[in-house]
Amino acid sequence: MSWPDSDVVGSDVTLPFTVYGKVDRGPGGELAHEGNRVPDIVALDDRRLVVGWRAGVRDERDSAPTDQGSIMCARSGDGGKSWTVSTLAAATATHRYHYVIFLNDAGTLYALLGQIVIDRDRDREGGVDGFPTSMVVRRSTDDGRTWTDFPVTVDVPDNGRGVVVAGKPVRSGGLWLVPYWRHSGTTTRAGVLRSADLRTWTSGGLAENPPGVAIEEPQLAVSQDDPGTLVMVTRTLNLTQGTSAAARDAYYRANAAHCATATSTDAGLTWSPMTLDENLPNYYVKTFFTRDTAGRYLAIFNTLAGPFTGASASKPDQYREVLYYKVRRPGEPWEPGRLFADGARLTSGAARGWDVYASADEYEPGRFFVVWEHNQTNIKVARLDISQPINDAPLAEGDWTTGGATTDGWVLSGGARVTGGGLRLRSAGAGSCSASFGLDVSRGCDFTLEFRGRVNDDSALDPRTGSGVCSGVKVSNGARRLMLTVQKSGVWSMCKGSAVWEKIYSSSTAGQPATWKVRVDSSGVARLFRDDTDTGATWVIQDSRERPQLTHWVTGTPGGNAAEATLEWTRLTPALDETR
C-alpha cells in the first residue's frame, strides 16, 4: 500500500517505533472512549529513553470522559527498539490524571502530573472534562524504573482550570521554570511556575493575551538572540469572529491561525504582551516548541485542526492528521515547514488518522527523539535530525522551450504536445488536457511555484463546475492543495474551506506571456507575483489529502468553448525566504 493508506514520515525522520498501542474498542472497532495520549519523552542519551502518556478510562456516568486517566510509562535501553511498560500513576476511585511532563535534573527524573479529583470535576449532568487539575510530582532516581511521591507546594490561585502543564521545563538564571496555563478572569492565560529547589513553586506573571484570543498549552525556550530572554509560544483559540460554536467552526474552516508569543527578561515575572506570530501556525491544538544546544528553534505543529462541530466525517480532510515541523537557525529566517509524520487512518470515527501532541528531547546537538500519538492509539517515537538546512533541490520542474531538456517524469494526456517554444495544452470540450508530475510525499513542505506561459484561447470559466479553465495549475503536497487558473481577465483560485473558483487578481492583460509565482507559507497563506512584482493578492489555500502532484491543465466547456494555453516552463521548490 502507498500513502495515504500507509504511514509516511518526512525525509529527515527515521522510521518510527511503536511504544504502546492498547486501546478499548467498541463492537464496530471504533474507539470505546476518548483517549488523547498527550505523551512526553526524556532522552537520557542516544539509547536510554523514558516515555510517559495518559491512558483514558471509562466512566460510569459519562460515556465520553475527556482528558483523564492513568499515566503510563515506558523505558527503552536500545534507542527505541524495545520497551518495558509500567504504570507511573494509576487512576483510582477518587483521582485521575490529566497530563505528564518530565523534568530531567542531571539524570534524576521528575514527573509533573496533573491530578484530578473526580467529584470536583463532575458537573450536574455527570460529565467530566479533566478540570481543574493540581500539579503533583513523582520522582525516579533509576532511569524511570521506579517512582516515588515527591511532595511539592504550588502557589496558584484556585481557578476553573487549575494548573495545566503541556510544555518542557527550562533551567534559566538559577531557577527551574515550568510553562503553564490557567483560567483568569473571563479567559485562559499563560505564564511560568518558578522554583529554586523543585519543591516550592510560585507563579510568575501571566502574559496579556492578544485581543479576542484565548491561550493554552504554552511552550518555553531561552531566546536564540539573548540568553537572558525567555520566549513563550502558545496554542490559541481565535474568537475574534464570535464565541459561539458555529462562529468558531466557521472561522477555522476558512482562515489561517497562528501561535501567540511573548518574551520575558526577568525569568517570567513579567511578560511582553502576546502577539500572533505568522511564522508559527496553530489551529487550536498543541504546537511543540524548543531550542537545541546550538541555538536552533524547533516547532512541530499540525497543518489543520480547529474547534469543529459535528461528527468526525463532517470535519475537513487532514483534520489533526498531518504533523509538520520547521526550524529557525540563529540569525536566519524560519525555514519552510516540512512533513514530520502522517499515519494511516485506523478508525473512521473519533481520532481518524490523527497524528498529534508531539514532544521531543535532544540527545545530541541538533538530533532529537520525538514522541507523538497516532489515532489516539499508538505511542510512536522517531529520530529527527535538524542539524542540516533543508534540501532546497526542486520538488519538480519542467522546461519545454526550444533547447529545454527538463521533461523527465512528466505525463502528458488529453492531446498535450510539445510545439516550438513550449507545451501546448488545448481542450475543445469538457475533457481536460494536462501535464502532470507525481511528487514525493515524504518531501512535502511549504512551497513556491513559478511558471511561465500564456493563454492562447480564452474560455468561459464556470466557478462551480470548473469548466473553462484556460491555464490551470494544481499543487498537492499531501496536506494542502493550491488551485490556480490564469484567465484573460485575471487569476482565480479556490480558497480554504471552499470548492468554488474565486477571482483573486483582476487584469485585462493576464493572458499575455508572463511569469507567475505563488509562495505558500506554513499557514497555507499564498501570495501571488507577476513578473517578479507582488500583485498584492493573498489568500489561504485548501486543505487536502489528494495525491501529491504538480499538474498544469486546461478544460473547455461542454458547449465547445475551447481553452488553450502554452506553458514554457514550471518549477516547484521549497518556500525558502528570498532574503536569505
Side-chain angles (χ1 to χ4, degrees):
M1 293 187 296
S2 59
W3 180 91
D5 298 314
S6 63
D7 298 349
V8 65
V9 294
S11 56
D12 290 319
V13 182
T14 64
L15 291 176
F17 297 109
T18 297
V19 179
Y20 184 84
K22 295 180 181 178
V23 290
D24 294 333
R25 294 186 181 272
E30 297 296 308
L31 300 178
H33 52 79
E34 190 272 345
N36 278 335
R37 305 292 206 174
V38 288
D40 193 28
I41 189 168
V42 173
L44 296 168
D45 53 38
D46 66 346
R47 297 183 62 80
R48 295 180 300 144
L49 310 175
V50 180
V51 171
W53 67 94
R54 183 178 69 225
V57 295
R58 295 178 183 268
D59 185 88
E60 60 184 10
R61 297 176 59 190
D62 187 343
S63 61
T66 305
D67 289 344
Q68 56 198 275
S70 296
I71 300 299
M72 307 297 290
C73 178
R75 295 179 293 106
S76 176
D78 54 14
K81 294 178 182 178
S82 61
W83 296 88
T84 300
V85 177
S86 60
T87 301
L88 195 160
T92 69
T94 58
H95 294 83
R96 295 172 185 161
Y97 295 90
H98 184 122
Y99 60 80
V100 57
I101 293 290
F102 292 117
L103 185 155
N104 181 5
D105 185 19
T108 297
L109 302 183
Y110 297 82
L112 313 183
L113 307 171
Q115 189 179 73
I116 305 158
V117 177
I118 299 172
D119 286 347
R120 189 180 178 195
D121 181 13
R122 198 175 302 280
D123 61 24
R124 292 180 180 178
E125 289 73 36
V128 287
D129 67 356
F131 298 104
T133 67
S134 58
M135 192 181 85
V136 299
V137 179
R138 305 202 83 198
R139 180 174 67 177
S140 175
T141 58
D142 55 8
D143 299 349
R145 290 177 177 82
T146 60
W147 297 87
T148 57
D149 291 338
F150 184 78
V152 297
T153 59
V154 182
D155 183 17
V156 172
D158 285 343
N159 65 90
R161 288 294 184 254
V163 178
V164 195
V165 179
K168 288 284 193 184
V170 169
R171 180 79 170 169
S172 179
L175 296 173
W176 278 104
L177 305 172
V178 173
Y180 85 106
W181 64 279
R182 67 177 178 91
H183 196 267
S184 177
T186 59
T187 188
T188 50
R189 297 171 65 187
V192 295
L193 301 175
R194 298 156 41 94
S195 179
D197 60 5
L198 296 175
R199 290 188 179 274
T200 302
W201 295 89
T202 59
S203 178
L206 300 178
E208 179 184 344
N209 294 359
V213 175
I215 296 299
E216 298 177 7
E217 297 180 339
Q219 312 290 299
L220 190 67
V222 175
S223 169
Q224 61 182 197
D225 302 316
D226 176 9
T229 298
L230 298 172
V231 178
M232 184 162 62
V233 174
T234 70
R235 163 177 167 166
T236 56
L237 176 61
N238 194 309
L239 303 171
T240 56
Q241 301 302 308
T243 59
S244 69
R248 292 182 294 175
D249 181 295
Y251 181 86
Y252 279 86
R253 286 183 187 271
N255 292 278
H258 305 97
C259 290
T261 64
T263 58
S264 174
T265 57
D266 54 14
L269 290 175
T270 61
W271 293 91
S272 66
M274 284 197 159
T275 57
L276 298 178
D277 188 337
E278 294 184 356
N279 289 301
L280 295 174
N282 185 270
Y283 289 91
Y284 195 50
V285 68
K286 175 182 173 180
T287 291
F288 175 78
F289 177 82
T290 192
R291 194 192 85 158
D292 74 0
T293 51
R296 292 171 286 235
Y297 288 156
L298 167 65
I300 307 176
F301 57 94
N302 282 97
T303 59
L304 173 67
F308 299 122
T309 59
S312 296
S314 71
K315 293 178 171 61
D317 268 347
Q318 303 303 60
Y319 168 69
R320 289 191 167 195
E321 293 196 53
V322 185
L323 277 174
Y324 262 40
Y325 73 98
K326 62 189 307 185
V327 177
R328 183 182 179 188
R329 302 169 198 282
E332 299 286 338
W334 281 96
E335 292 180 354
R338 41 185 155 157
L339 178 68
F340 177 78
D342 181 8
R345 294 174 173 178
L346 305 182
T347 56
S348 59
R352 179 186 67 181
W354 287 9
D355 286 288
V356 286
Y357 294 113
S359 187
D361 203 20
E362 187 182 22
Y363 65 92
E364 292 176 359
R367 293 177 171 86
F368 289 82
F369 281 104
V370 182
V371 65
W372 74 102
E373 63 170 88
H374 175 58
N375 215 121
Q376 285 190 359
T377 302
N378 294 324
I379 304 297
K380 293 194 170 187
V381 169
R383 297 180 193 237
L384 170 64
D385 186 349
I386 66 169
S387 62
Q388 300 300 315
I390 187 172
N391 178 3
D392 60 0
L395 305 167
E397 55 185 338
D399 186 346
W400 295 274
T401 57
T402 302
T406 312
T407 58
D408 290 346
W410 285 88
V411 176
L412 307 185
S413 62
R417 60 188 178 89
V418 179
T419 63
L423 178 65
R424 179 177 179 266
L425 303 173
R426 180 174 177 80
S427 169
S432 66
C433 176
S434 66
S436 187
F437 187 96
L439 301 176
D440 179 356
V441 67
S442 72
R443 291 192 66 199
C445 63
D446 308 339
F447 58 85
T448 296
L449 170 70
E450 193 168 12
F451 65 96
R452 182 169 181 82
R454 65 182 183 272
V455 175
N456 301 327
D457 193 348
D458 188 45
S459 188
L461 176 66
D462 185 325
R464 296 195 174 276
T465 67
S467 65
V469 168
C470 292
S471 179
V473 60
K474 169 169 59 179
V475 179
S476 299
N477 67 358
R480 295 191 172 102
R481 183 176 75 170
L482 168 68
M483 298 287 282
L484 192 84
T485 181
V486 179
Q487 308 289 114
K488 280 199 171 180
S489 64
V491 179
W492 298 62
S493 187
M494 289 186 184
C495 298
K496 180 182 175 78
S498 173
V500 176
W501 290 97
E502 302 174 39
K503 182 175 274 190
I504 57 169
Y505 172 68
S506 294
S507 171
S508 61
T509 62
Q512 295 180 7
T515 299
W516 298 95
K517 180 168 67 175
V518 181
R519 188 176 188 276
V520 180
D521 72 10
S522 297
S523 302
V525 177
R527 181 173 291 274
L528 179 68
F529 299 81
R530 179 181 184 179
D531 293 328
D532 290 327
T533 299
D534 189 345
T535 67
T538 63
W539 69 102
V540 186
I541 69 172
Q542 298 171 307
D543 303 286
S544 173
R545 62 190 280 111
E546 186 175 358
R547 175 180 60 85
Q549 61 185 283
L550 166 58
T551 297
H552 289 265
W553 88 100
V554 301
T555 304
T557 68
N561 190 343
E564 181 181 316
T566 297
L567 176 65
E568 296 182 22
W569 54 264
T570 185
R571 183 181 303 111
L572 184 69
T573 59
L576 294 170
D577 190 291
E578 295 178 359
T579 64
R580 293 166 65 95

